[in-house]
Amino acid sequence: MRAVIYARVSTEEQAQKELSIPSQIEICKKFAVQNGYEVIDIFIDAGKSGTTSEREAFQELIAQAKKKPPPFNAILVYNYSRFSRNEMDSIVYEELLDRQHIKLISVTQPLPEDNAIRGLVRGIFRVIDNWYALNASQEARRGQIALIKQGYYCGGPVPYGYMLETLDNGRKRLVPNPETASVVQKIFEMVVSGYSYNEIISYLTQENIKPPRGRFWRKNSLSNIIHSHVYKGDFTYGRRAKKHKRRNRKEEWIIIENTHEALVSRDLWELAQRTHKKPEHIQRSPALLGGLIICAQCGSKMWYKKTYRQGKQYGNYICANREESGTCDMPAIAASIIENFVANKVIDILLASNIDEVIESIIKQQEENNGIKKLIQEKTKKLEQVHRTRKNLLRSLEILDLTDEDFIELNGRLRQLTEEEEEIKQKIEEYQKELALTDIPDKETIREALIKLKASANSINLDDKNALRDFLHIVVSKIFINTKAKEYQIILKIPSLESEERDSTGSP
Ligand SMILES: [Zn+2]
């Protein structure tokens, strides 16, 4: 396996001997030899702070790591703080490395491969990151909106019927296009006069009027014109989220009124909306709690299922056993009810949680859950057993009057037991070393994540189903449902908050 070494020392750290660049490299090299890595390159940032932009070698390292395929499988660092100054940064880069199947190995503080708490903390950060990215883009929005309000045009394709005029200050604004503005007006008039889209299309084709795009007029282009706010003089901002390349939902749009000259009156525009309703985009019905709900009676998962009644769509969670084989009779539960209940309950629990207590129990649980500790316990028990047997054997050798043959045999057995004891002792020592190295994110990192989680619980928009789904899947482990007894038990992934919320009083 091919590895590179990254070493960094800040100006303040340069005085500390054990952190010197040569000693960082030496320790990493030793690790490489012991673990079968071939070191193919070394990246060094000396006298640099942790700020990413300042670190040239680091930038080069990341550039190399992005290559397809990457030239190495592992990055060795003395400790994680060499790689990044804060956990947040490291998570961002670790994601990149994950994708490229590159391991980041801190030779002095290895992390267990699969660490539930670390996964949780990472998950929290990922959601929070998206959260902040959203806020940041809203900041940027504000600047643009100010310009739009002053009547300036801020990029994007020029709508059909308009053209751009450059002002003295170099900015641009929308003005009616003398050739096409009248076409837009004609389309609106025809729509409110009761002409169908097909009839309008034949008229426009007959008149040799060029469509906004392509060679032919389509129903879609007419629909887009009729429903665009731009023709009544308003500007719609934020219809598409740039980053995700998906359409934003209508509620997320910002409509700024009277930014430019209208082509049709507001009355005419409204009338046209009523004549031709825009087909609603049917959203893929997302099961907010998909995979989380479990039937309390038979223990099988409850599936999300859509049903239609009188043309309306309803979502239900239904026991898989009931659905498949009819062996369970747990009644289904309406998705809207249980989702609402769980979301509110989880938010309440998080807001009421005491961060210090949570941290204590995370650390406690981590220790308790630690498989290595169990192994040590097992080995210690075994050691006691072997030790006892050996002692007994030794005593029998002294007390009993043995034949030579028996003596030789028992003596051989004794030697065997002594060896076994020694072996177990060594193993325990190894485990203890491993245990000492087993690391969980430090308290401050966990604290930071929890604070952010609380903040997001406080500000999450329950109508933003995508954000809510992410949020719930990060914090909720399981939900046991007994619709007969009206008992709902929510188990969270965060220790000490996995208090079993049994609610039989009110809703649902
Ligand atoms: Zn069931």
Side-chain angles (χ1 to χ4, degrees), residues 244-368:
H244 307 293
K245 288 191 177 152
R246 64 167 169 90
R247 283 174 88 95
N248 275 329
R249 271 165 293 122
K250 243 184 181 155
E251 308 87 72
E252 290 169 320
W253 298 358
I254 297 168
I255 295 169
I256 304 158
E257 292 191 343
N258 301 317
T259 55
H260 55 269
E261 194 178 318
L263 294 189
V264 299
S265 72
R266 284 183 189 275
D267 289 344
L268 183 60
W269 192 87
E270 290 298 339
L271 201 58
Q273 305 311 299
R274 265 174 274 147
T275 319
H276 265 287
K277 284 222 171 68
K278 186 169 190 164
E280 282 295 318
H281 281 279
I282 296 160
Q283 285 229 334
R284 212 164 42 85
S285 73
L288 217 56
L289 303 173
L292 295 178
I293 301 188
I294 289 169
C295 169
Q297 184 165 281
C298 71
S300 78
K301 286 219 160 131
M302 290 180 82
W303 290 342
Y304 181 82
K305 215 188 148 201
K306 278 187 285 185
T307 52
Y308 296 89
R309 228 181 301 137
Q310 292 168 341
K312 271 189 105 181
Q313 183 188 305
Y314 299 88
N316 283 299
Y317 290 96
I318 182 161
C319 170
N321 257 341
R322 183 190 173 117
E323 182 73 1
E324 284 217 304
S325 58
T327 49
C328 180
D329 66 347
M330 184 62 78
I333 187 162
S336 56
I337 291 174
I338 190 67
E339 288 174 352
N340 205 11
F341 172 78
V342 169
N344 282 308
K345 204 89 202 168
V346 166
I347 288 169
D348 285 351
I349 296 170
L350 283 174
L351 292 182
S353 64
N354 177 319
I355 288 181
D356 286 313
E357 280 171 18
V358 173
I359 292 173
E360 282 315 307
S361 61
I362 285 179
I363 288 165
K364 210 170 123 205
Q365 189 196 308
Q366 180 70 17
E367 285 164 359
E368 280 167 6

Side-chain angles (χ1 to χ4, degrees), residues 204-205 208-218 221:
L204 293 168
T205 314
N208 263 330
I209 296 168
K210 272 186 74 190
R213 233 167 266 107
R215 286 168 55 203
F216 307 105
W217 281 93
R218 293 169 200 280
S221 24

Side-chain angles (χ1 to χ4, degrees), residues 368-380:
E368 280 167 6
N369 286 356
N370 215 315
I372 300 167
K373 277 212 165 168
K374 249 188 210 150
L375 285 175
I376 292 177
Q377 272 171 13
E378 278 167 26
K379 287 287 173 195
T380 312

Side-chain angles (χ1 to χ4, degrees), residues 141 224 227-229 236-241 246-249 252-254 278:
R141 271 183 169 195
N224 285 343
H227 298 292
S228 171
H229 294 257
T236 335
Y237 187 80
R239 292 175 58 164
R240 256 169 215 281
R246 64 167 169 90
R247 283 174 88 95
N248 275 329
R249 271 165 293 122
E252 290 169 320
W253 298 358
I254 297 168
K278 186 169 190 164

Side-chain angles (χ1 to χ4, degrees), residues 37 56 63 71 83-84 89 92 97 134 168 189 207 310 314 330 450 455 474 490:
Y37 287 100
E56 285 145 31
F83 187 72
S84 59
D89 263 10
V92 171
L97 299 181
L134 210 70
D168 291 342
E189 278 158 21
E207 295 289 308
Q310 292 168 341
Y314 299 88
M330 184 62 78
L450 287 169
I474 276 185
I490 303 169

